[in-house]
Amino acid sequence: PNNGRILSFAHEESVQQTLSMGCWSECQYVGRDQEWYAERIKHDCTEFAVFHQGEKVAEVHWNIVGEHNMRNGLMAIAAAHHTGVSIENACAALGTFINAKRRLEVKDNVQGVTVYDDFAHHPTEIQATLTALRDKVGQNERILAVLEPRSNTMKMGVHKEEIAPALEKADAVFLFQPDTIPWKVAEIAAHLTQPAYDSDNLDDLVHHIVAEAKPTDHILVMSNGSFGGIHQKLLDALQKKSV
């Protein structure tokens, strides 16, 4: 974690292409023994310490959860510092940052069950989102992961073998089978160690999710589309269940 480097105006994977074009970028290094380092204060990373050249220089207090977001925040601080912004001001600015929609966005809480919406649409994002939510809720509260494979790469089955391991931190998994993909989500379910259910009928899927949900559970819906309005369907069904 936190090992690697950031390149001004260039992604790591495009370094060779950038250099071959003769466009040189200044480098700043991220890691425990490097110029920049971040260390969580709270387990969910809503508070973290910033280290610069081996010294703790500031803290960030924000509402964004997850180690991946802490790393993103650190890189934003480094980039801002590179342009002349003080580290203290950069950290203070992050404290006012409002996260983008559909990033562990809480849709509502009904009778103790929280429903989230997240744009996660490939295994890396799925794993990062689940890890962030697990850090937030701890080990004693359940996460019910609901996934619609909707992105182009998902539809083609490019990441099919990586999806089950990415869902490891969920306590139960519910998979939707779109009619737009040539493979079966049951293939993912077959490789999961936790309880799993798949369906090509959205209302049926909602029924099984709500039947499983208990107070203090967290229902994490992951899709890069509207997912047939599943969030409101879940909230409505949860409300009826509590009556």
Side-chain angles (χ1 to χ4, degrees), residues 7 11 14 16 48 51-52 57 60 75 80 87-88 124 135 141 145 183 204 213-214 238:
L7 297 170
H11 293 292
S14 64
Q16 294 302 322
F48 64 89
F51 292 80
H52 184 234
V57 291
V60 171
M75 293 181 186
I87 298 173
E88 293 78 8
T124 302
D135 286 346
E141 297 183 8
W183 54 277
D204 174 67
K214 302 173 183 177
L238 286 166

Side-chain angles (χ1 to χ4, degrees), residues 185-192 196:
V185 295
E187 298 174 43
I188 301 172
H191 289 89
L192 292 167

Side-chain angles (χ1 to χ4, degrees), residues 43 133-143:
H43 189 65
L133 185 57
R134 177 59 68 196
D135 286 346
K136 176 182 178 181
V137 306
Q139 299 299 321
N140 296 325
E141 297 183 8
R142 299 193 311 162
I143 298 174

Side-chain angles (χ1 to χ4, degrees), residues 183-200:
W183 54 277
K184 299 297 183 182
V185 295
E187 298 174 43
I188 301 172
H191 289 89
L192 292 167
T193 58
Q194 63 270 64
Y197 180 81
D198 64 272
S199 178
D200 61 359

Side-chain angles (χ1 to χ4, degrees), residues 101-112:
K101 297 280 285 183
R102 307 201 66 193
R103 295 298 184 186
L104 270 180
E105 179 186 357
V106 175
K107 301 302 289 186
D108 208 345
N109 180 289
V110 177
Q111 296 297 323

